[in-house]
Amino acid sequence: MRFNILGSLEGWHGERRLRLGSPTQERVLVTLLLEPGRMVPVPRLVAAAWDDEPPQTAGHQIRKAVAALRTRIPGGAGLIVTDGAGYRAVLGEDQLDLHEFGRRSGEARQAVAAGAAAEAVRHLRACLDLWRGPVMAGAGGAVISAASAALEERHMAVAEQYFELQLELGQSAELVGPLRELVTAHPLRETLRGRLMLALYRAGRQADALEEFGRVRELLVEELGIDPGAELTRLYEAILRDSPEVAPRVPQSVSDRAALLVPAPLAQPDGSEPVPCTLPYDLPDFTGRDEELARLLEVGRAPARGSTRIVGVDGMGGSGKTALAVHAAHLLAADYPDGQLFVDLRGFSPGEKAQEPGAVLHSLLRVVGIPDDRIPDDLERRTTLWRTVSAQRKILLLLDNAADAAQIRPLLPASEGCLAIITSRVRMLELDGAEWLSLGLLSAEDSTTLLTRTLGAHRTAAEPQAVDHLARLCCGLPLALRITTARLRNRPRWTVQYLVDRLADETRRLREMSAGERSVEATLRLSYQAMESDLRAAFRLLGLHPGSAIDVHSAAALLGTDGHDAEDVLERLLDAHLLEQHEAGLYGFHDLVRTYAMSVREAEDDEEAAGGRLVVYYALATDKACDMLFPGRGSHGDPPPGNPPELPRLDGDECVLRWFDREYEALLAIVAQAGAQGLHRPVAMLARNVLFYLNLRGHYEQFRVVSRIAVVACQQLGDPVLLGISLGNLAVGHWWLGDFQDGITTAQEALELAGSDDRSTEAFCLDVLGLLHGALGNFDEARAHLAQGIELHRELGAPRDEAQALVNLSTVQTWAGHYAEGARYAARATELNRRLGERNNEISSLTWLALAHLGTGEDERARACLAQALELCDESRRPANVAVVLAHWARVCQRLGDMRSAAEHAERALDLVSAEGTALRQATVANVVGLVHLRRGAPGRAMELHRHAHELASRLGYRFETARALHGMAEAAQELGDARMARRHWQAAEALYDAMGVTEAGRRL
């Protein structure tokens, strides 16, 4: 197999080109091939396939597209594998042109580093031959186009390097045509234009080369309003005066040509004088930062490119910038034989002013041997002298703790043989020619390794769990890790767990993280104090946001400003490394930075007003989200007074669910905080909206917690309508968690509160009471409540609620063995759900319709219903209900002779309900899967599952599933040859069936 994506999509099996299917299937395949070997989540595949307008069934269609691709591609099941919440393309090195492009370009870099220019040219030519154009010929949509743009940049970098090497090897006239084609396609790329000018000049066409500069200058002024860059301007001036540096290269042998790429060695300093080295000592226990270190070494050892190499390392205070830079500098020392110089610029040092460039230059010049009397007094002449001196040497200069670009610029050496490494808490984008590496946090593994190296293996091995906990409390911040181990070394009688206990109090944590003159709090304070007062105030207010991700809209609500101003604030805090950004538009605090933000509150901060704005924002945003996810739901209460805040753009169900998933933790925290602060009305609105989402995702513990907060808020409001709804929701929460009697008490209270004045709440409470009585096996009470509720729903014209009540009534009738009535109610519910587009409720009604058909022996009809339900299922939505569908599907497959499918779906149902289900659903699934094992001749496994179901159901008082579990245990015991046990279990099951009034038909497994 071979796939080509650098251009239009091609798939080849030997000499045969494959037909890869529809445009959607092609987009899915290309998206996987763009990241070979990596899991691509389904939401990303959805975005790639449909951009911003995915259909409601997008996730399902992605799965169908993958299945189709696996069928069309020989060996497709091994090539596209399921991986967690997405898919992964598994390919060999020679099966993808993108792989080959990366390998060849890497080999070219190695050849250049080794001085093998001709070999590098061959590899680069091979790269260019692979390129056929944009991915999917530019027709792949926004996601693929973005990836294609990045690949186009790699392609252009390869092309520019190819022509540079060809020029160095003496080529000129033959390059003009290909270069002009590329310049026409990319007219604003100055590097490419420079290659063309040089090729023209060396081909004897000086006038054409100068005219080319005139063209690009006019184009840049007209298109962008800027002049050509310094490098292109220098090239123009060199061509204008026939400078020797642009003279034509004389073609030589391959080895001689390659030598042109390696700079001639500089004269070594006088051996009588020691080479200046002012680097601090290298940490013997330096840990982690493998990628960043590798990049620093790669840049430091790369061939000279005509100018000083500049690498910046930025990150928050305490992230280990200096340690990394010093470690790299020591490893690179041999490559810079004329000196390795370190300067602390004191940009962020407690109690000290940042160093002036003039004073730093004086020190640098003295270190490299320039006497005081030859050092000029003014900055400009000192800069000139420094550049003159450094131009004759190979020096590594480490500029640590820089404040800004203005402090840095005069200090940069001029020689292409020099390397400047800069560290700073801010990224200096205005420093042209610099490559920046941002330091994040250490991984959990690296954090633990650093603790072991600094504390000693004997102490960490004695308390591994405490060491892991300590690493988590330090949040991957190297300074925090080193301070805590220093404290432990200074207190040999302290255990690691003792320090962990001291750090557990968040209000004291920063104070505990100090040792001698080092302190995490002091480090953060320097960054905080360096900001302007308005930014400090915004930093303090943003610390009130309880979520791990802060978007522009919630930040605007907290700050009381508009989205544009809020984004400016967030970006400035990001530049100061007081916020992190894990994806575009989403910001977050490092845990220790958040703790610091909460500790620097000022009297001027109106935290109460900010918190109120945040609650109102989330109440309105969740209202908008729920209107999209749950169309037709009832509306209760007026929106909060005042100007509404800017709300996020939420287009389509998948977008809304991603937003809810991201904000989930923040929403729970805000409901709790606002309830404690007495913001009763917005809390009642917000809680109701959040409950819709929690029910959809199956988060029932949180569902009950939020319901209780809503009930308290509504009681304080004195709003009987909202209180009735909130009590009804709390009763549903009790049902999901198996507290049926508490649920009945709560639902009865809500029903009495509603009286005859609030018919809608009355009908809702009747439904819930029917549900709860059904679970307890009180089938007569359940039928009466549900029938009354259905009648009310019809009077009120509420088909959505009617459909839910019909499903509940179908459940009771099916449990009781009245299968015909159960089928009739479930069929009517399915009809209503389809008309309303209620996908999740339709899954439930189809499932109970299938069970009613199974009861009457209509297995094929049951299979058809469950097949439709499975088609609608999404394991991220009510996963416990999906597990029930899978379990019954396994049962139907077994009855129809498909044993393999039955086994697979039974195990998947158990896995899903164990991970995501309540005890209620676990009991149901264990009983159904137990029956599957019983019928396949595995009574031991069946007994184990039914016993587990009995333990769960009997604890809850879930009478029907308790009876089913006893029935299953009886049959399993009979198969195992234990007739006495079988008789005992069967008698217990019969007693429960009798008490519930289950018919003889309903007692059959």
Side-chain angles (χ1 to χ4, degrees), residues 199-220:
L200 288 166
Y201 175 74
R202 289 180 178 174
R205 298 167 61 181
Q206 183 183 29
D208 289 341
L210 297 173
E211 185 180 350
E212 201 63 42
F213 181 80
R215 286 198 194 96
V216 72
R217 179 167 53 191
E218 289 177 10
L219 184 62
L220 288 169

Side-chain angles (χ1 to χ4, degrees), residues 605-625:
D605 300 335
D606 193 346
E607 295 182 4
E608 186 175 337
R613 289 192 299 269
L614 190 63
V615 177
V616 168
Y617 160 74
Y618 275 115
L620 294 174
T622 53
D623 220 35
K624 176 182 177 182

Side-chain angles (χ1 to χ4, degrees), residues 341 343 359-369 386 397 399 411:
L341 311 181
V343 182
V360 176
L361 285 171
H362 185 277
S363 298
L364 288 171
L365 289 167
R366 290 288 293 118
V367 167
V368 297
W386 168 243
L397 178 62
L399 300 171
L411 311 180

Side-chain angles (χ1 to χ4, degrees), residues 696-949:
L696 181 66
R697 285 298 197 216
H699 301 315
Y700 300 115
E701 290 281 1
Q702 295 86 346
F703 185 101
R704 185 160 65 177
V705 169
V706 172
S707 296
R708 283 176 169 149
I709 294 171
V711 167
V712 172
C714 294
Q715 287 170 338
Q716 296 298 319
L717 277 174
D719 186 325
V721 174
L722 281 177
L723 179 56
I725 294 169
S726 299
L727 285 167
N729 286 331
L730 178 56
V732 172
H734 286 315
W735 178 79
W736 271 115
L737 297 174
D739 294 330
F740 305 132
Q741 200 57 59
D742 287 347
I744 287 174
T745 303
T746 304
Q748 196 66 49
E749 181 184 351
L751 183 62
E752 292 168 5
L753 186 69
S756 59
D757 298 327
D758 183 0
R759 306 297 300 282
S760 178
T761 302
E762 180 187 359
F764 172 47
C765 293
L766 288 167
D767 293 347
V768 177
L769 283 167
L771 192 67
L772 290 157
H773 279 293
L776 286 171
N778 306 328
F779 290 166
D780 290 338
E781 291 94 329
R783 290 188 193 97
H785 287 305
L786 289 167
Q788 193 178 348
I790 290 166
E791 185 178 343
L792 271 175
H793 290 314
R794 286 174 182 162
E795 287 180 20
L796 295 168
R800 179 176 177 273
D801 298 325
E802 180 190 346
Q804 286 185 311
L806 283 165
V807 171
N808 294 337
L809 185 52
S810 172
T811 302
V812 171
Q813 294 295 67
T814 301
W815 277 344
H818 301 304
Y819 295 119
E821 290 90 340
R824 186 170 72 252
Y825 295 134
R828 174 60 181 155
T830 301
E831 180 186 334
L832 288 172
N833 285 325
R834 282 184 180 162
R835 194 176 77 208
L836 296 168
E838 288 287 342
R839 169 180 167 179
N840 292 298
N841 291 341
E842 186 181 348
I843 294 170
S844 185
S845 61
L846 282 167
T847 302
W848 284 105
L849 182 56
L851 295 184
H853 287 320
L854 279 178
T856 57
E858 298 173 279
D859 291 1
E860 285 294 350
R861 294 185 70 179
R863 181 175 189 164
C865 292
L866 286 172
Q868 293 175 57
L870 274 178
E871 187 79 9
L872 295 171
C873 278
D874 178 343
E875 291 184 7
S876 68
R877 301 187 184 198
R878 298 180 183 168
N881 286 3
V882 176
V884 172
V885 178
L886 290 168
H888 285 300
W889 177 256
R891 181 184 171 199
V892 169
C893 287
Q894 186 182 60
R895 286 173 64 146
L896 292 172
D898 188 351
M899 301 304 177
R900 179 178 176 184
S901 185
E904 290 175 357
H905 286 87
E907 289 309 309
R908 179 58 191 146
L910 284 176
D911 291 343
L912 189 57
V913 83
S914 298
E916 304 283 354
T918 62
L920 200 72
R921 286 292 182 251
Q922 288 180 27
T924 300
V925 170
N927 268 334
V928 177
V929 175
L931 181 58
V932 171
H933 282 285
L934 190 62
R935 296 293 182 256
R936 66 186 286 261
R941 177 63 173 148
M943 177 65 82
E944 180 184 329
L945 288 166
H946 285 306
R947 190 172 284 148
H948 179 56

